Amino acid sequence: MPDILHKMGIKSSSLNEVYGALTTVEGLSGWWTTTTQGEGEVGGVLQFRFGAGGFDMKVLELDPDTRVLWQVVDGPLEWIGTQISFDLSQRDDWTIVLFKHAGWKEPVEFMHHCSTKWGVFLLSLKSLLETGKGAPYPNDIKLDSWE
């Protein structure tokens, strides 16, 4: 099964700040989509909306300042059952984020789109933590006619 993988460093940010941006409704709405709601604790479900569509993620694992793991429980068919993880580490004054969207059944065109969009939103996370301002949906970079 193919996976989407990204690595990103966030300068002068603490593990705790990055972890908060990945685990709280306020943090998530600052970089991914302004229409975020739900419960961010283990067993809770987070809802992310992008216009008419979106995703529901069940929180499977939270290891403070180290790891966040979700499973997609609702959304586009290609996403259901996939898992999204953020693994965090500190290297000098950089917080390193290893991102994985795992479990795609096949590398369809939608996966290519989603890979690029994840890159866009991860750069929004970087911007939020480095400058105080992210670019969550609907203020993100648009890639093509699917948006």
Side-chain angles (χ1 to χ4, degrees):
M1 289 186 184
D3 299 332
I4 295 171
L5 304 171
H6 293 286
K7 176 189 176 209
M8 179 183 63
I10 301 172
K11 184 97 166 129
S12 302
S13 188
S14 74
L15 286 167
N16 190 258
E17 288 174 316
V18 177
Y19 184 78
L22 298 171
T23 57
T24 65
V25 169
E26 179 184 9
L28 291 160
S29 64
W31 66 270
W32 195 13
T33 176
T34 57
T35 311
T36 299
Q37 59 185 357
E39 301 299 322
E41 59 272 346
V42 173
V45 175
L46 292 162
Q47 297 94 27
F48 303 95
R49 296 297 175 261
F50 300 82
F55 315 97
D56 291 357
M57 311 286 187
K58 182 174 184 181
V59 181
L60 297 182
E61 183 181 333
L62 294 174
D63 188 356
D65 300 345
T66 305
R67 181 171 170 80
V68 175
L69 177 64
W70 303 326
Q71 183 163 9
V72 182
V73 295
D74 195 18
L77 183 61
E78 296 92 343
W79 278 50
I80 294 176
T82 62
Q83 293 188 346
I84 296 166
S85 63
F86 302 86
D87 289 296
L88 309 177
S89 62
Q90 192 73 41
R91 296 188 193 146
D92 300 317
D93 58 347
W94 290 86
T95 296
I96 304 301
V97 178
L98 295 180
F99 169 88
K100 182 188 283 188
H101 188 167
W104 287 78
K105 291 176 182 56
E106 58 183 324
V108 295
E109 184 178 359
F110 186 48
M111 182 183 180
H112 293 260
H113 169 84
C114 292
S115 180
T116 306
K117 283 306 286 197
W118 273 122
V120 166
F121 287 120
L122 289 168
L123 290 172
S124 174
L125 171 65
K126 178 179 176 68
S127 179
L128 175 67
L129 292 164
E130 289 181 352
T131 71
K133 183 165 176 48
Y137 175 88
N139 303 309
D140 57 311
I141 297 170
K142 306 302 182 218
L143 300 177
D144 58 35
S145 61
W146 287 0
E147 300 184 74

